[in-house]
Amino acid sequence: EEGAATTTSSSALDEQEEKEEARLERIEQQEKPLQDPLTPPPPSRTRRRRGTKHSAVSVDAAAMEPMHPAVITTLHGLCAVISSESKTPKMEEIALDCIVILTNG
């Protein structure tokens, strides 16, 4: 009798595993494929208002270039000066002027 009980429980386990595999396959079929990072995003579905003019946004080409690591390090140092509790007004003014020079080129 023990052999019959073991066979029954193992067939029940096999049946549960088959149901689980079928469920997972259905889920995989329903999922949308992942987009490749190079794939452009889908078009926007937002409505545009009538009579609204959309102006072209100008982008400075220099703003798109990466900063030199020395410039980034200098900017971090200048930010540390500005956030320091022991700064003087003159130190803060000079640090801000340097930041403007470094970022506006």
Side-chain angles (χ1 to χ4, degrees), residues 53-71:
K53 291 185 178 180
H54 295 282
S55 60
V57 177
S58 63
V59 177
D60 185 14
M64 300 302 291
E65 292 187 24
M67 285 189 180
H68 190 278
V71 174

Side-chain angles (χ1 to χ4, degrees), residues 85-99:
E85 293 180 10
S86 61
K87 70 179 180 287
T88 63
K90 189 66 176 177
M91 289 169 61
E92 188 172 21
E93 180 184 347
I94 292 172
L96 288 171
D97 288 341
C98 292
I99 290 172

Side-chain angles (χ1 to χ4, degrees), residues 2-17:
E2 286 181 25
T6 306
T7 306
T8 306
S9 64
S10 65
S11 65
L13 287 175
D14 289 340
E15 189 175 314
Q16 286 178 349
E17 287 178 4

Side-chain angles (χ1 to χ4, degrees), residues 72-92:
I72 295 172
T73 303
T74 304
L75 289 170
H76 283 291
L78 293 169
C79 289
V81 169
I82 292 172
S83 62
S84 172
E85 293 180 10
S86 61
K87 70 179 180 287
T88 63
K90 189 66 176 177
M91 289 169 61
E92 188 172 21

Side-chain angles (χ1 to χ4, degrees), residues 8-60:
T8 306
S9 64
S10 65
S11 65
L13 287 175
D14 289 340
E15 189 175 314
Q16 286 178 349
E17 287 178 4
E18 287 176 11
K19 285 181 181 178
E20 183 67 18
E21 286 179 18
R23 185 181 71 83
L24 292 174
E25 285 179 21
R26 282 193 307 272
I27 291 172
E28 287 175 0
Q29 290 172 357
Q30 290 174 356
E31 287 182 358
K32 295 179 182 176
L34 294 176
Q35 286 186 344
D36 186 356
L38 300 176
T39 305
S44 176
R45 294 183 181 163
T46 59
R47 292 184 175 180
R48 292 186 180 174
R49 295 181 186 155
R50 293 184 182 182
T52 305
K53 291 185 178 180
H54 295 282
S55 60
V57 177
S58 63
V59 177
D60 185 14

